[in-house]
Amino acid sequence: MRKEGNHNMKQKLEQIKAEAMEALGGVSASDALEQLRVKYLGKKGEITAILKQMGGLSAEERPVIGQLANQIRAEIEQAIAQQSKRLEAAALAARLELETVDVTIPGQTRKIGMKHPMYQVLDQIKDIFIGMGFEVVEDREVELAEYNFDKLNETEGHPAREWSDTFYFTEDSKILLRTQTSPMQIHVMERQKPPIRMVAPGRVYRKDEVDATHSPMFHQIEGMVIDKGITMADLKGTLSQVARQLYGEQTVTRFRPHHFPFTEPSCEMDIQCYKCHGAGCSTCKGEGWIELLGAGMVHPKVLEGCGIDSSVYSGWAFGFGLERLALAYFKISDLRLIFENDVRFLEQF
Ligand code: PHE
């Protein structure tokens, strides 16, 4: 009976082992593996159940069965560990497969912005002047009336100083949003000794109603050259060259007398219409010419006011509106389009 019990238990253990090995071989998920571990090795598992029956065995039989049970337990444990490793490796391989990046698939193109058309023109203008040895300077938009007007020889009573024309911050009309970039002439002359060659782009403000050609905020570019022996010929030569670089080699310029308080003599420069070449068309409003900028020889009073000896130094200055130039350049008909920032419009450039 005992001998039989022994034999039975041996058989039972071998059977458990065989079953367990087969089940383990077919397992393909880690939770199923864990279930098998509990089934065979757990506290209520099959091997434990066998061990619990060992009380009925003789003293000689017990170690034999015990040893066999332990050995089988160890073998099953090892098989589980092996299988667990295999499953982990398979899971990793599957994940790597899943996360593989196919570098040959075309990417999603992201929409990137571009420079505003007016600033594209500004860049071009800056490049032209930098190429001629000019320095680009930028400065404040809130100005003292002293710099915006007085030091530019625009004395009390000048129409540009009217409240209806200018954005003042204070009742005493001393601080304002600059109405022109010309105060940059003064700032540069005050902090820098000649020779000076500078351009100063920036925003300016005037109390204008918005329409197709006006805005209370717009951009100007100021330019100035101060050195010994500078004449009107330098002004004409330089600005004509700038016009040719902007509008093409064939561009014809003309200079008309004008008046600005801070230049003497003063002029305006026109270019012959690039569309009709002077015949008159809608672009030049039948004139044949397009007004581009105001300029002149820097007034001796302005030079002296900045501590520059006007008997030694002379110079010229110019200023023009950037929006109008961009409108003409891109053949845009309405100034408002420049500021509305409608992407459908801006994307065209
Ligand atoms: N500041 C003048 C304007 O706004 C332009 C100008 C600048 C004229 C420099 C002459 C010299 O109209």
PDB file of all heavy atoms in Angstrom, residues 142-166:
ATOM      1  N   VAL A 142       8.494 107.796 -29.234  1.00  0.00           N
ATOM      2  CA  VAL A 142       7.973 108.891 -28.403  1.00  0.00           C
ATOM      3  C   VAL A 142       9.080 109.941 -28.337  1.00  0.00           C
ATOM      4  O   VAL A 142      10.198 109.657 -27.936  1.00  0.00           O
ATOM      5  CB  VAL A 142       7.601 108.390 -26.995  1.00  0.00           C
ATOM      6  CG1 VAL A 142       7.205 109.564 -26.101  1.00  0.00           C
ATOM      7  CG2 VAL A 142       6.486 107.357 -27.083  1.00  0.00           C
ATOM      8  N   GLU A 143       8.748 111.136 -28.746  1.00  0.00           N
ATOM      9  CA  GLU A 143       9.763 112.162 -28.958  1.00  0.00           C
ATOM     10  C   GLU A 143       9.457 113.424 -28.163  1.00  0.00           C
ATOM     11  O   GLU A 143       8.309 113.670 -27.787  1.00  0.00           O
ATOM     12  CB  GLU A 143       9.729 112.512 -30.451  1.00  0.00           C
ATOM     13  CG  GLU A 143      10.967 112.513 -31.293  1.00  0.00           C
ATOM     14  CD  GLU A 143      12.305 112.290 -30.652  1.00  0.00           C
ATOM     15  OE1 GLU A 143      12.601 112.969 -29.637  1.00  0.00           O
ATOM     16  OE2 GLU A 143      13.084 111.491 -31.187  1.00  0.00           O
ATOM     17  N   LEU A 144      10.481 114.206 -27.944  1.00  0.00           N
ATOM     18  CA  LEU A 144      10.275 115.552 -27.432  1.00  0.00           C
ATOM     19  C   LEU A 144       9.980 116.470 -28.620  1.00  0.00           C
ATOM     20  O   LEU A 144      10.597 116.320 -29.683  1.00  0.00           O
ATOM     21  CB  LEU A 144      11.529 116.050 -26.733  1.00  0.00           C
ATOM     22  CG  LEU A 144      11.906 115.333 -25.428  1.00  0.00           C
ATOM     23  CD1 LEU A 144      13.293 115.775 -24.982  1.00  0.00           C
ATOM     24  CD2 LEU A 144      10.856 115.626 -24.343  1.00  0.00           C
ATOM     25  N   ALA A 145       9.061 117.401 -28.437  1.00  0.00           N
ATOM     26  CA  ALA A 145       8.752 118.367 -29.502  1.00  0.00           C
ATOM     27  C   ALA A 145      10.029 119.092 -29.923  1.00  0.00           C
ATOM     28  O   ALA A 145      10.204 119.434 -31.098  1.00  0.00           O
ATOM     29  CB  ALA A 145       7.706 119.368 -29.012  1.00  0.00           C
ATOM     30  N   GLU A 146      10.920 119.276 -28.967  1.00  0.00           N
ATOM     31  CA  GLU A 146      12.201 119.918 -29.238  1.00  0.00           C
ATOM     32  C   GLU A 146      12.958 119.205 -30.382  1.00  0.00           C
ATOM     33  O   GLU A 146      13.542 119.858 -31.247  1.00  0.00           O
ATOM     34  CB  GLU A 146      13.028 119.849 -27.951  1.00  0.00           C
ATOM     35  CG  GLU A 146      14.264 120.691 -27.954  1.00  0.00           C
ATOM     36  CD  GLU A 146      15.135 120.384 -26.742  1.00  0.00           C
ATOM     37  OE1 GLU A 146      14.682 119.678 -25.804  1.00  0.00           O
ATOM     38  OE2 GLU A 146      16.295 120.853 -26.752  1.00  0.00           O
ATOM     39  N   TYR A 147      12.928 117.864 -30.347  1.00  0.00           N
ATOM     40  CA  TYR A 147      13.647 117.091 -31.378  1.00  0.00           C
ATOM     41  C   TYR A 147      12.821 116.900 -32.643  1.00  0.00           C
ATOM     42  O   TYR A 147      13.349 116.887 -33.740  1.00  0.00           O
ATOM     43  CB  TYR A 147      14.066 115.719 -30.814  1.00  0.00           C
ATOM     44  CG  TYR A 147      15.277 115.822 -29.920  1.00  0.00           C
ATOM     45  CD1 TYR A 147      15.161 116.289 -28.611  1.00  0.00           C
ATOM     46  CD2 TYR A 147      16.541 115.496 -30.393  1.00  0.00           C
ATOM     47  CE1 TYR A 147      16.264 116.414 -27.799  1.00  0.00           C
ATOM     48  CE2 TYR A 147      17.660 115.608 -29.595  1.00  0.00           C
ATOM     49  CZ  TYR A 147      17.523 116.073 -28.297  1.00  0.00           C
ATOM     50  OH  TYR A 147      18.624 116.202 -27.493  1.00  0.00           O
ATOM     51  N   ASN A 148      11.509 116.737 -32.436  1.00  0.00           N
ATOM     52  CA  ASN A 148      10.639 116.501 -33.590  1.00  0.00           C
ATOM     53  C   ASN A 148      10.465 117.782 -34.414  1.00  0.00           C
ATOM     54  O   ASN A 148      10.266 117.719 -35.619  1.00  0.00           O
ATOM     55  CB  ASN A 148       9.280 115.988 -33.119  1.00  0.00           C
ATOM     56  CG  ASN A 148       8.447 115.392 -34.251  1.00  0.00           C
ATOM     57  OD1 ASN A 148       8.616 114.247 -34.621  1.00  0.00           O
ATOM     58  ND2 ASN A 148       7.560 116.194 -34.815  1.00  0.00           N
ATOM     59  N   PHE A 149      10.558 118.952 -33.711  1.00  0.00           N
ATOM     60  CA  PHE A 149      10.303 120.227 -34.407  1.00  0.00           C
ATOM     61  C   PHE A 149      11.435 121.249 -34.250  1.00  0.00           C
ATOM     62  O   PHE A 149      12.083 121.599 -35.231  1.00  0.00           O
ATOM     63  CB  PHE A 149       8.995 120.858 -33.888  1.00  0.00           C
ATOM     64  CG  PHE A 149       7.765 120.032 -34.157  1.00  0.00           C
ATOM     65  CD1 PHE A 149       6.916 119.663 -33.114  1.00  0.00           C
ATOM     66  CD2 PHE A 149       7.434 119.642 -35.453  1.00  0.00           C
ATOM     67  CE1 PHE A 149       5.764 118.908 -33.355  1.00  0.00           C
ATOM     68  CE2 PHE A 149       6.285 118.893 -35.699  1.00  0.00           C
ATOM     69  CZ  PHE A 149       5.449 118.529 -34.654  1.00  0.00           C
ATOM     70  N   ASP A 150      11.663 121.723 -33.003  1.00  0.00           N
ATOM     71  CA  ASP A 150      12.536 122.889 -32.806  1.00  0.00           C
ATOM     72  C   ASP A 150      13.925 122.717 -33.401  1.00  0.00           C
ATOM     73  O   ASP A 150      14.392 123.565 -34.163  1.00  0.00           O
ATOM     74  CB  ASP A 150      12.671 123.208 -31.303  1.00  0.00           C
ATOM     75  CG  ASP A 150      11.324 123.545 -30.687  1.00  0.00           C
ATOM     76  OD1 ASP A 150      10.845 124.670 -30.899  1.00  0.00           O
ATOM     77  OD2 ASP A 150      10.745 122.651 -30.030  1.00  0.00           O
ATOM     78  N   LYS A 151      14.582 121.611 -33.035  1.00  0.00           N
ATOM     79  CA  LYS A 151      15.945 121.405 -33.526  1.00  0.00           C
ATOM     80  C   LYS A 151      15.976 121.156 -35.030  1.00  0.00           C
ATOM     81  O   LYS A 151      17.043 121.185 -35.648  1.00  0.00           O
ATOM     82  CB  LYS A 151      16.604 120.239 -32.778  1.00  0.00           C
ATOM     83  CG  LYS A 151      17.036 120.614 -31.356  1.00  0.00           C
ATOM     84  CD  LYS A 151      17.504 119.390 -30.597  1.00  0.00           C
ATOM     85  CE  LYS A 151      17.979 119.724 -29.209  1.00  0.00           C
ATOM     86  NZ  LYS A 151      19.412 120.116 -29.187  1.00  0.00           N
ATOM     87  N   LEU A 152      14.806 120.911 -35.615  1.00  0.00           N
ATOM     88  CA  LEU A 152      14.717 120.749 -37.067  1.00  0.00           C
ATOM     89  C   LEU A 152      14.251 122.057 -37.717  1.00  0.00           C
ATOM     90  O   LEU A 152      13.798 122.068 -38.873  1.00  0.00           O
ATOM     91  CB  LEU A 152      13.752 119.614 -37.420  1.00  0.00           C
ATOM     92  CG  LEU A 152      14.301 118.204 -37.141  1.00  0.00           C
ATOM     93  CD1 LEU A 152      13.169 117.180 -37.119  1.00  0.00           C
ATOM     94  CD2 LEU A 152      15.350 117.811 -38.177  1.00  0.00           C
ATOM     95  N   ASN A 153      14.330 123.124 -36.938  1.00  0.00           N
ATOM     96  CA  ASN A 153      14.009 124.437 -37.480  1.00  0.00           C
ATOM     97  C   ASN A 153      12.516 124.588 -37.795  1.00  0.00           C
ATOM     98  O   ASN A 153      12.140 125.436 -38.597  1.00  0.00           O
ATOM     99  CB  ASN A 153      14.866 124.693 -38.747  1.00  0.00           C
ATOM    100  CG  ASN A 153      15.021 126.173 -39.054  1.00  0.00           C
ATOM    101  OD1 ASN A 153      14.952 127.009 -38.146  1.00  0.00           O
ATOM    102  ND2 ASN A 153      15.196 126.514 -40.333  1.00  0.00           N
ATOM    103  N   GLU A 154      11.714 123.719 -37.189  1.00  0.00           N
ATOM    104  CA  GLU A 154      10.263 123.882 -37.333  1.00  0.00           C
ATOM    105  C   GLU A 154       9.771 124.598 -36.084  1.00  0.00           C
ATOM    106  O   GLU A 154       9.449 123.966 -35.082  1.00  0.00           O
ATOM    107  CB  GLU A 154       9.548 122.525 -37.474  1.00  0.00           C
ATOM    108  CG  GLU A 154       9.890 121.809 -38.766  1.00  0.00           C
ATOM    109  CD  GLU A 154       8.970 120.607 -39.036  1.00  0.00           C
ATOM    110  OE1 GLU A 154       7.789 120.618 -38.620  1.00  0.00           O
ATOM    111  OE2 GLU A 154       9.439 119.649 -39.662  1.00  0.00           O
ATOM    112  N   THR A 155       9.763 125.910 -36.149  1.00  0.00           N
ATOM    113  CA  THR A 155       9.518 126.706 -34.951  1.00  0.00           C
ATOM    114  C   THR A 155       8.028 126.789 -34.626  1.00  0.00           C
ATOM    115  O   THR A 155       7.184 126.350 -35.394  1.00  0.00           O
ATOM    116  CB  THR A 155      10.097 128.117 -35.142  1.00  0.00           C
ATOM    117  OG1 THR A 155       9.755 128.536 -36.470  1.00  0.00           O
ATOM    118  CG2 THR A 155      11.610 128.092 -35.026  1.00  0.00           C
ATOM    119  N   GLU A 156       7.717 127.369 -33.449  1.00  0.00           N
ATOM    120  CA  GLU A 156       6.327 127.594 -33.032  1.00  0.00           C
ATOM    121  C   GLU A 156       5.539 128.194 -34.195  1.00  0.00           C
ATOM    122  O   GLU A 156       6.042 129.050 -34.914  1.00  0.00           O
ATOM    123  CB  GLU A 156       6.282 128.583 -31.853  1.00  0.00           C
ATOM    124  CG  GLU A 156       6.815 128.040 -30.543  1.00  0.00           C
ATOM    125  CD  GLU A 156       5.922 126.983 -29.900  1.00  0.00           C
ATOM    126  OE1 GLU A 156       4.775 126.796 -30.352  1.00  0.00           O
ATOM    127  OE2 GLU A 156       6.401 126.327 -28.961  1.00  0.00           O
ATOM    128  N   GLY A 157       4.311 127.720 -34.342  1.00  0.00           N
ATOM    129  CA  GLY A 157       3.471 128.270 -35.399  1.00  0.00           C
ATOM    130  C   GLY A 157       3.527 127.460 -36.679  1.00  0.00           C
ATOM    131  O   GLY A 157       2.707 127.646 -37.574  1.00  0.00           O
ATOM    132  N   HIS A 158       4.492 126.509 -36.758  1.00  0.00           N
ATOM    133  CA  HIS A 158       4.531 125.650 -37.942  1.00  0.00           C
ATOM    134  C   HIS A 158       3.281 124.773 -37.954  1.00  0.00           C
ATOM    135  O   HIS A 158       2.899 124.224 -36.919  1.00  0.00           O
ATOM    136  CB  HIS A 158       5.789 124.775 -37.914  1.00  0.00           C
ATOM    137  CG  HIS A 158       6.061 124.085 -39.208  1.00  0.00           C
ATOM    138  ND1 HIS A 158       5.380 122.960 -39.584  1.00  0.00           N
ATOM    139  CD2 HIS A 158       6.924 124.376 -40.223  1.00  0.00           C
ATOM    140  CE1 HIS A 158       5.818 122.582 -40.782  1.00  0.00           C
ATOM    141  NE2 HIS A 158       6.761 123.434 -41.188  1.00  0.00           N
ATOM    142  N   PRO A 159       2.641 124.651 -39.112  1.00  0.00           N
ATOM    143  CA  PRO A 159       1.354 123.936 -39.159  1.00  0.00           C
ATOM    144  C   PRO A 159       1.442 122.487 -38.647  1.00  0.00           C
ATOM    145  O   PRO A 159       0.474 121.969 -38.088  1.00  0.00           O
ATOM    146  CB  PRO A 159       0.963 123.966 -40.647  1.00  0.00           C
ATOM    147  CG  PRO A 159       2.108 124.570 -41.383  1.00  0.00           C
ATOM    148  CD  PRO A 159       2.969 125.279 -40.405  1.00  0.00           C
ATOM    149  N   ALA A 160       2.598 121.809 -38.816  1.00  0.00           N
ATOM    150  CA  ALA A 160       2.728 120.421 -38.363  1.00  0.00           C
ATOM    151  C   ALA A 160       2.609 120.318 -36.848  1.00  0.00           C
ATOM    152  O   ALA A 160       2.366 119.243 -36.305  1.00  0.00           O
ATOM    153  CB  ALA A 160       4.061 119.841 -38.820  1.00  0.00           C
ATOM    154  N   ARG A 161       2.783 121.438 -36.129  1.00  0.00           N
ATOM    155  CA  ARG A 161       2.741 121.412 -34.668  1.00  0.00           C
ATOM    156  C   ARG A 161       1.321 121.521 -34.129  1.00  0.00           C
ATOM    157  O   ARG A 161       1.121 121.453 -32.910  1.00  0.00           O
ATOM    158  CB  ARG A 161       3.592 122.556 -34.104  1.00  0.00           C
ATOM    159  CG  ARG A 161       5.036 122.471 -34.525  1.00  0.00           C
ATOM    160  CD  ARG A 161       5.888 123.538 -33.864  1.00  0.00           C
ATOM    161  NE  ARG A 161       6.150 123.205 -32.467  1.00  0.00           N
ATOM    162  CZ  ARG A 161       7.339 123.350 -31.878  1.00  0.00           C
ATOM    163  NH1 ARG A 161       8.360 123.816 -32.559  1.00  0.00           N
ATOM    164  NH2 ARG A 161       7.489 123.045 -30.622  1.00  0.00           N
ATOM    165  N   GLU A 162       0.334 121.723 -34.999  1.00  0.00           N
ATOM    166  CA  GLU A 162      -1.058 121.850 -34.560  1.00  0.00           C
ATOM    167  C   GLU A 162      -1.523 120.600 -33.803  1.00  0.00           C
ATOM    168  O   GLU A 162      -1.135 119.485 -34.152  1.00  0.00           O
ATOM    169  CB  GLU A 162      -1.966 122.060 -35.784  1.00  0.00           C
ATOM    170  CG  GLU A 162      -1.791 123.400 -36.478  1.00  0.00           C
ATOM    171  CD  GLU A 162      -2.221 124.564 -35.593  1.00  0.00           C
ATOM    172  OE1 GLU A 162      -3.305 124.465 -34.988  1.00  0.00           O
ATOM    173  OE2 GLU A 162      -1.462 125.546 -35.509  1.00  0.00           O
ATOM    174  N   TRP A 163      -2.401 120.807 -32.825  1.00  0.00           N
ATOM    175  CA  TRP A 163      -3.009 119.687 -32.092  1.00  0.00           C
ATOM    176  C   TRP A 163      -3.780 118.768 -33.034  1.00  0.00           C
ATOM    177  O   TRP A 163      -3.863 117.569 -32.828  1.00  0.00           O
ATOM    178  CB  TRP A 163      -3.948 120.217 -31.002  1.00  0.00           C
ATOM    179  CG  TRP A 163      -3.209 120.476 -29.739  1.00  0.00           C
ATOM    180  CD1 TRP A 163      -2.480 121.586 -29.443  1.00  0.00           C
ATOM    181  CD2 TRP A 163      -3.080 119.591 -28.634  1.00  0.00           C
ATOM    182  NE1 TRP A 163      -1.909 121.455 -28.211  1.00  0.00           N
ATOM    183  CE2 TRP A 163      -2.265 120.237 -27.682  1.00  0.00           C
ATOM    184  CE3 TRP A 163      -3.563 118.323 -28.343  1.00  0.00           C
ATOM    185  CZ2 TRP A 163      -1.930 119.655 -26.465  1.00  0.00           C
ATOM    186  CZ3 TRP A 163      -3.235 117.749 -27.125  1.00  0.00           C
ATOM    187  CH2 TRP A 163      -2.417 118.402 -26.201  1.00  0.00           C
ATOM    188  N   SER A 164      -4.352 119.384 -34.076  1.00  0.00           N
ATOM    189  CA  SER A 164      -5.174 118.608 -35.008  1.00  0.00           C
ATOM    190  C   SER A 164      -4.315 117.717 -35.898  1.00  0.00           C
ATOM    191  O   SER A 164      -4.804 116.830 -36.571  1.00  0.00           O
ATOM    192  CB  SER A 164      -5.995 119.553 -35.874  1.00  0.00           C
ATOM    193  OG  SER A 164      -5.120 120.468 -36.522  1.00  0.00           O
ATOM    194  N   ASP A 165      -2.989 117.934 -35.890  1.00  0.00           N
ATOM    195  CA  ASP A 165      -2.110 117.183 -36.789  1.00  0.00           C
ATOM    196  C   ASP A 165      -1.283 116.133 -36.049  1.00  0.00           C
ATOM    197  O   ASP A 165      -0.776 115.192 -36.658  1.00  0.00           O
ATOM    198  CB  ASP A 165      -1.163 118.178 -37.479  1.00  0.00           C
ATOM    199  CG  ASP A 165      -0.549 117.587 -38.741  1.00  0.00           C
ATOM    200  OD1 ASP A 165      -1.328 117.274 -39.660  1.00  0.00           O
ATOM    201  OD2 ASP A 165       0.683 117.409 -38.781  1.00  0.00           O
ATOM    202  N   THR A 166      -1.157 116.317 -34.726  1.00  0.00           N
ATOM    203  CA  THR A 166      -0.116 115.602 -33.990  1.00  0.00           C
ATOM    204  C   THR A 166      -0.662 114.967 -32.717  1.00  0.00           C
ATOM    205  O   THR A 166      -1.549 115.512 -32.077  1.00  0.00           O
ATOM    206  CB  THR A 166       1.009 116.626 -33.647  1.00  0.00           C
ATOM    207  OG1 THR A 166       1.537 117.105 -34.874  1.00  0.00           O
ATOM    208  CG2 THR A 166       2.107 116.004 -32.827  1.00  0.00           C
TER     209      THR A 166
END
